[in-house]
Amino acid sequence: ANPAFSYYDNAGFSTANPEMDEDTQSEVRIGAAAFLHLLTGADSYKNYFANNYQSVRPYTWGFWFAFGGPIQDIMLFYTNTDSPAANIRQDIRDNFWQSATVGNQELLPAYQNQADAYRAFLKESDHVWGSNQAKAIQGNLLWNLRQYELNPSADPEYRAAAAGYVHYFHGANPMGLVYLSNMSAYGAESSLQQIYHGWFYDGSAFDDAATGVGPAPGFLSGGCNIYYQPDPAYAGPPLSPPMNQPTQKSYKDWNTSWPENSWEITEPAIYYQAAYIRLLSKFTEPESTINAVKNSPQSLPIIIYPNPSSDLFQVEIPDGTKIHGLQLFSAQGVSINVPIQKLGEHRWAIDLGDQAPGMYWLLDASGSIQGKLVRLD
């Protein structure tokens, strides 16, 4: 319980140094003070935050950025409460807004200047081990401009800038690759077939989705890493890719362990996943559920259930609604000839038991999309 900076000599231990650096320890104390004031109401915590918040790196370094740490989110969250004084609340928001929109050319200015062809800018030297987490944090920072209502008239631009990072993860990148594991059953044409993980290791039944069951779906990998090197014990040919590639192609879909050390590229981590899910959550429909797909107001209010399913789906429309000529198409737009059995005036059954796992579109005779079906393996 020592409040001062601590450093312990870890010489002789083979593990990485678990200690926080001095800046991080200071920011943890400041962030804790904010939360403790919210929990207890004690003025000592409020005063500690007020006296020290300008010592965090977004202030001392002069910009907010993808590697700025949790203190950035904590401070913005704190401004959304009644706890800080009005002048402190405004100072934090002004500091963030100025950095994100003007001061840091890697945030909103990068979107405005089209600095990245895929609208998910991260400077080349920041494509490090875990770069996908940095990209997700970058997207979350841009979304914060909208979430904290710093300039509501620019909300559409803020949303579009943040969305670029979601699109990057979902395939709008130089690899044309969905950076999530084993997503073909959910509509992805090219997703990760392998990830480095103790559950889905090389040679296991869950090694490769292209040749077997593959890893569990939906895990975000570490991403491009321009600094990747195999262990010095590696004696094979150059691993290209991921080496000797343009920055955003410094990736390889493989999970071989030592001495190739694929974990520097394809290993997932809870903090990568958290940053991605947080960003993705800003673009999901709150009414969506796993058991039913309700379509947008532009299409008929069709209900499809169960959805996903491994074989049978039922389709229902409300009384008084008419629909003609239901047709099923693959995710690639190819017409699928499957029986569509009419069960009643407003109900149909569709059997996809003989079809490949994946996503299918349900269209009416006019060609309008009326629903999406996901067939599980």
Side-chain angles (χ1 to χ4, degrees):
N2 189 337
F5 171 68
S6 61
Y7 177 78
Y8 300 97
D9 184 357
N10 292 292
F13 291 89
S14 61
T15 54
N17 184 357
E19 294 301 311
M20 299 176 184
D21 59 54
E22 188 168 2
D23 285 335
T24 302
Q25 287 193 34
S26 174
E27 290 170 0
V28 166
R29 290 195 296 270
I30 294 166
F35 286 125
L36 287 168
H37 180 240
L38 292 172
L39 288 170
T40 68
D43 285 342
S44 58
Y45 298 125
K46 178 178 182 176
N47 294 337
Y48 186 88
F49 181 91
N51 293 333
N52 292 280
Y53 78 94
Q54 290 185 336
S55 68
V56 302
R57 279 169 284 194
Y59 274 85
T60 59
W61 290 12
F63 53 89
W64 298 56
F65 68 120
F67 298 91
I71 191 62
Q72 298 178 140
D73 287 317
I74 293 171
M75 292 203 303
L76 287 172
F77 172 79
Y78 195 50
T79 69
N80 231 24
T81 72
D82 295 330
S83 293
N87 65 309
I88 292 177
R89 181 184 301 111
Q90 194 61 48
D91 179 57
I92 292 171
R93 290 182 170 223
D94 287 348
N95 187 279
F96 169 60
W97 184 84
Q98 194 279 333
S99 176
T101 62
V102 180
N104 185 354
Q105 295 296 302
E106 299 170 22
L107 291 176
L108 189 65
Y111 170 79
Q112 295 170 329
N113 298 330
Q114 300 181 26
D116 185 274
Y118 298 89
R119 298 188 176 185
F121 181 82
L122 190 70
K123 69 181 181 182
E124 289 200 16
S125 60
D126 285 345
H127 285 80
V128 298
W129 188 341
S131 65
N132 275 345
Q133 181 193 17
K135 281 190 178 276
I137 294 173
Q138 198 103 318
N140 282 309
L141 282 170
L142 290 163
W143 183 269
N144 282 341
L145 290 166
R146 176 185 174 94
Q147 180 165 333
Y148 291 97
E149 301 178 341
L150 299 183
N151 181 13
S153 65
D155 273 0
E157 183 178 45
Y158 300 156
R159 187 185 193 281
Y165 292 86
V166 176
H167 298 318
Y168 174 88
F169 294 131
H170 294 172
N173 56 65
M175 302 289 292
L177 186 64
V178 175
Y179 278 112
L180 302 171
S181 60
N182 203 359
M183 292 295 288
S184 61
Y186 301 92
E189 296 177 14
S190 179
S191 61
L192 306 182
Q193 305 299 298
Q194 304 179 48
I195 52 175
Y196 180 86
H197 192 278
W199 294 347
F200 317 120
Y201 58 90
D202 187 26
S204 72
F206 308 103
D207 173 13
D208 190 341
T211 58
V213 177
F219 281 100
L220 182 74
S221 68
C224 299
N225 180 2
I226 61 174
Y227 303 103
Y228 165 79
Q229 292 283 339
D231 189 89
Y234 176 74
L239 291 171
S240 179
M243 301 171 68
N244 306 317
Q245 296 292 311
T247 298
Q248 293 193 65
K249 298 191 79 172
S250 54
Y251 190 88
K252 181 178 180 178
D253 190 2
W254 94 124
N255 63 1
T256 307
S257 189
W258 182 90
E260 293 189 17
N261 297 3
S262 65
W263 55 75
E264 295 187 18
I265 301 283
T266 68
E267 185 175 24
I270 192 171
Y271 29 91
Y272 304 166
Q273 198 78 10
Y276 162 70
I277 292 297
R278 180 185 174 196
L279 178 61
L280 181 65
S281 71
K282 312 303 182 183
F283 298 91
T284 57
E285 296 290 338
E287 67 271 17
S288 297
T289 69
I290 194 66
N291 295 315
V293 176
K294 295 185 177 181
N295 294 280
S296 63
Q298 288 75 24
S299 62
L300 296 176
I302 284 180
I303 298 175
I304 304 172
Y305 63 92
N307 194 14
S309 171
S310 59
D311 43 35
L312 292 174
F313 297 77
Q314 291 202 32
V315 178
E316 289 188 6
I317 61 173
D319 293 348
T321 304
K322 292 185 178 181
I323 191 169
H324 302 284
L326 288 176
Q327 297 175 291
L328 205 67
F329 289 80
S330 71
Q332 292 75 37
V334 178
S335 178
I336 305 296
N337 184 20
V338 297
I340 300 179
Q341 181 184 4
K342 191 165 186 178
L343 303 177
E345 185 65 26
H346 303 100
R347 192 157 59 95
W348 293 261
I350 301 175
D351 188 352
L352 293 183
D354 293 332
Q355 302 301 313
M359 186 180 72
Y360 295 86
W361 296 108
L362 186 65
L363 279 66
D364 63 18
S366 71
S368 298
I369 294 175
Q370 301 298 345
K372 179 176 67 176
L373 292 72
V374 176
R375 198 276 198 198
L376 298 177
D377 194 354

